[in-house]
Amino acid sequence: MSNSESRDEWTTGTRQAASHAVVAEALRQRIALGGFGPGDRLPTERELSAAFGVGRNTVRQAVRELADEGLVTTTLGRNGGTRVAPTRPGRDGSRAATTATIRASLRDYMEYRLAIEPYAARLAAERGAGAARRELVAMLATDVAHLGEYHRCDTAFHLGIATAGGNEVLAEAVTRARAEMFVGGNALWLGSDWSRVYPAERDFGSAFREEHEAIALAVLSGDGDAAEARMRDHLHDSHRQFLALLDQFAAQD
């Protein structure tokens, strides 16, 4: 089986693990944080599917769950779509609690990823096939126009490293660690002010290359020590980015 086929299988597993309940909770938290206010239109089904890395049917079920709770309403027609319902009594004041919950969840997931992904990068460098290691470098040239494409490229890169090392158990662990974390984490990015994380002139493609180049080159050179260290640095940076967005939401009135 080729590395690309193996990554496709892991990506499929990621999509399956991210159930509609997980997507619904991510959107629920995003609404509670004020990222989508009363009357705001949610991104389209296609956009949510791309951002969360799940199938459109999963998004559809998640939105239906929120509609059943009265959190969103959906109308048809040219001006239709899914919008956040007016604020209901008893829902005010939930932002601080939601922020604390997401912060704790991110901490747990990042600690787990720090325990497994740096070692996965070491294995990829020390025993990955040459073609698999070169393919990681080739990914850096991918055009990345929006959040959905960034998510797909980022997933392909990290799972490519995990599978290159030849340890299927470790690769599955990396996949599972990313699945639910990035459904919840990507909800923070939707409609967010990226200037808190990236300079205005830094596009998604530049961000993807800059954040992953050192890892890819270390893996390509077969330097296990460097690959492990660069992956650890990258995960710490990613955690700081998510926390910066959380701080932005927490500071809003």
Side-chain angles (χ1 to χ4, degrees):
M1 180 181 294
S2 70
N3 287 315
S4 61
E5 290 173 334
S6 181
R7 276 200 311 278
D8 287 343
E9 286 193 359
W10 293 121
T11 302
T12 298
T14 299
R15 288 176 176 268
Q16 292 172 345
S19 69
H20 76 276
V22 176
V23 174
E25 178 59 20
L27 289 172
R28 194 179 291 114
Q29 291 182 344
R30 188 70 165 81
I31 292 170
L33 286 172
F36 299 123
D40 285 350
R41 189 199 305 264
L42 294 186
T44 65
E45 188 178 279
R46 181 178 181 180
E47 290 169 336
L48 289 173
S49 175
F52 290 145
V54 299
R56 294 179 70 170
N57 187 55
T58 298
V59 171
R60 196 173 300 122
Q61 292 180 64
V63 170
R64 188 179 303 123
E65 181 175 321
L66 297 184
D68 290 343
E69 297 172 8
L71 288 178
V72 300
T73 58
T74 300
T75 56
L76 303 177
R78 177 177 297 181
N79 297 320
T82 299
R83 296 180 181 275
V84 178
T87 303
R88 297 181 298 167
R91 298 196 65 84
D92 294 335
S94 62
R95 182 176 297 166
T98 301
T99 301
T101 298
I102 296 176
R103 194 182 301 275
S105 178
L106 282 172
R107 178 202 62 205
D108 291 348
Y109 278 120
M110 292 307 302
E111 287 176 351
Y112 182 54
R113 291 183 65 196
L114 280 164
I116 59 176
E117 290 200 50
Y119 187 65
R122 172 181 287 276
L123 290 183
E126 293 180 346
R127 67 188 193 193
R133 290 186 282 137
R134 288 191 295 273
E135 190 171 348
L136 292 171
V137 177
M139 287 184 194
L140 301 175
T142 304
D143 290 330
V144 186
H146 53 73
L147 175 63
E149 289 180 356
Y150 180 94
H151 174 77
R152 287 192 294 273
C153 291
D154 185 64
T155 295
F157 184 87
H158 282 265
L159 301 189
I161 285 179
T163 57
N167 186 317
E168 293 185 2
V169 176
L170 184 58
E172 183 176 2
V174 171
T175 301
R176 291 183 180 276
R178 289 179 60 85
E180 294 190 5
M181 173 186 165
F182 273 89
V183 170
N186 278 1
L188 294 175
W189 296 111
L190 292 171
S192 296
D193 180 4
W194 282 76
S195 65
R196 291 294 299 268
V197 177
Y198 298 139
E201 68 276 6
R202 193 182 189 207
D203 59 25
F204 284 101
S206 297
F208 176 73
R209 285 188 294 275
E210 292 171 15
E211 291 171 357
H212 298 88
E213 184 174 38
I215 304 170
L217 294 179
V219 171
L220 179 65
S221 68
D223 189 337
D225 288 341
E228 184 172 357
R230 298 295 80 76
M231 177 62 81
R232 183 173 292 107
D233 291 343
H234 170 57
L235 293 176
H236 281 303
D237 287 343
S238 296
H239 194 189
R240 283 192 288 268
Q241 290 172 356
F242 283 121
L243 291 179
L245 285 177
L246 274 175
D247 289 342
Q248 175 184 328
F249 285 119
Q252 293 174 351
D253 293 331

